[in-house]
Amino acid sequence: MTDRAVSDVLSFVLVFSLITASVGLVTVVGLGGLQDARDTERISNGERAFEVLADNQLDVAHGGAPSRATEIKLAETTLTLADPLDSNVSLDSGPTAGSTQSRPITFGTSGDGGNLSRGVVYEHGAVFRVDRGGAAMRRAPSFQFDSDRTVIHYMTLESQTGDVQRRAGSTTVLVRSVRGTTTVLSHHEPTGSATITIQTEPRRAAAWKRYFETELEDMTATPGSACDPLDGSGTVSCSFETHDLRVTKTTIRVRIS
């Protein structure tokens, strides 16, 4: 009656195996969940910082402020003043009503090829939250679409150093914005439709298209108000009709330090 059916060594092996399996399961599943939660909070913090950045750019472009500085905590992410992207407004009658090149500011983590995987982007006055599956416009640009009068006010970001600026790590950086010149590119009373074209990244192109389609819905319905299908290149092109078209541009010189 005092004999045991299982030895102490076998019991120890079974208990140790159970503990090891439990630790491994928690490590694989739990740490992965914690990493995702940390990444999400990191991008959310960046989004709040970009809301402040957008307000500061408006102060510079419209509020008469000569300069503004925005503090952004990197937290193992990368902040980049990227290569310039084109945008223009053209008329059916032929002439280009206005064109510009502006550098987007991107914040987040990089994926394959160095492209932004998850993060936040400031582009032409709009703020986007970008994920692997697509992008959502969190803040609209300072464009005003109306059948009576449409105003396209570009906030054109230029690099103070003349090239791409990039900071990475876990430090806090300052995005310094200095007001340049404000120019009236054109003022027309179009007899036909006008077309705005924006060059961007393919995921953000879909968000731009949704924004333009929403704005055009609020205008008087006309056959000329529509967006072309996306071709995957990152170019968005939308046409609209208005009685008064004004295109202006404010240049803002940016430095990341």
Side-chain angles (χ1 to χ4, degrees):
M1 297 295 292
T2 60
D3 293 338
R4 296 181 178 180
V6 180
S7 67
D8 291 339
V9 174
L10 184 57
S11 298
F12 175 79
V13 171
L14 291 174
V15 172
F16 183 77
S17 299
L18 181 61
I19 294 174
T20 303
S22 299
V23 172
L25 182 63
V26 170
T27 300
V28 173
V29 178
L31 290 183
L34 289 174
Q35 179 69 34
D36 289 341
R38 187 183 69 171
D39 290 344
T40 299
E41 183 60 27
R42 180 187 301 163
I43 301 305
S44 296
N45 290 337
E47 184 178 340
R48 288 189 285 269
F50 269 54
E51 286 287 341
V52 177
L53 173 68
D55 286 335
N56 286 341
Q57 303 292 25
L58 278 176
D59 288 343
V60 173
H62 297 290
S67 64
R68 283 287 187 268
T70 307
E71 187 177 272
I72 298 178
K73 173 74 173 175
L74 295 186
E76 299 180 11
T77 56
T78 301
L79 184 72
T80 305
L81 181 65
D83 289 321
L85 298 173
D86 295 326
S87 180
N88 67 75
V89 180
S90 59
L91 303 177
D92 271 357
S93 55
T96 298
S99 62
T100 188
Q101 279 193 332
S102 182
R103 293 179 180 267
I105 301 177
T106 67
F107 167 92
T109 57
S110 299
D112 296 336
N115 295 322
L116 187 68
S117 174
R118 298 181 63 187
V120 190
V121 179
Y122 176 87
E123 179 179 66
H124 291 300
V127 176
F128 298 86
R129 179 150 181 165
V130 179
D131 210 332
R132 298 178 184 90
M137 183 181 288
R138 300 298 201 191
R139 183 185 182 118
S142 55
F143 299 161
Q144 300 174 16
F145 289 93
D146 190 88
S147 58
D148 291 327
R149 187 176 73 170
T150 295
V151 179
I152 306 296
H153 190 135
Y154 287 120
M155 288 186 286
T156 302
L157 304 190
E158 296 181 351
S159 173
Q160 289 188 22
T161 63
D163 54 7
V164 172
Q165 300 179 43
R166 182 175 289 108
R167 297 290 185 274
S170 298
T171 61
T172 298
V173 300
L174 283 179
V175 179
R176 303 179 185 273
S177 304
V178 179
R179 181 184 176 90
T181 59
T182 296
T183 307
V184 177
L185 299 178
S186 66
H187 183 191
H188 291 276
E189 295 180 358
T191 56
S193 64
T195 301
I196 182 168
T197 301
I198 287 183
Q199 175 192 9
T200 183
E201 189 263 347
R203 287 175 296 177
R204 302 199 298 274
W208 273 113
K209 186 173 184 287
R210 290 192 297 269
Y211 161 73
F212 285 129
E213 287 175 339
T214 299
E215 292 296 311
L216 296 180
E217 284 178 355
D218 296 335
M219 299 174 67
T220 301
T222 60
S225 298
C227 293
D228 293 339
L230 297 176
D231 58 5
S233 67
T235 299
V236 186
S237 185
C238 295
S239 299
F240 56 92
E241 292 189 1
T242 183
H243 298 303
D244 189 326
L245 174 65
R246 305 182 186 192
V247 183
T248 63
K249 178 178 76 171
T250 296
T251 301
I252 302 174
R253 299 188 300 274
V254 177
R255 184 182 185 90
I256 301 176
S257 58

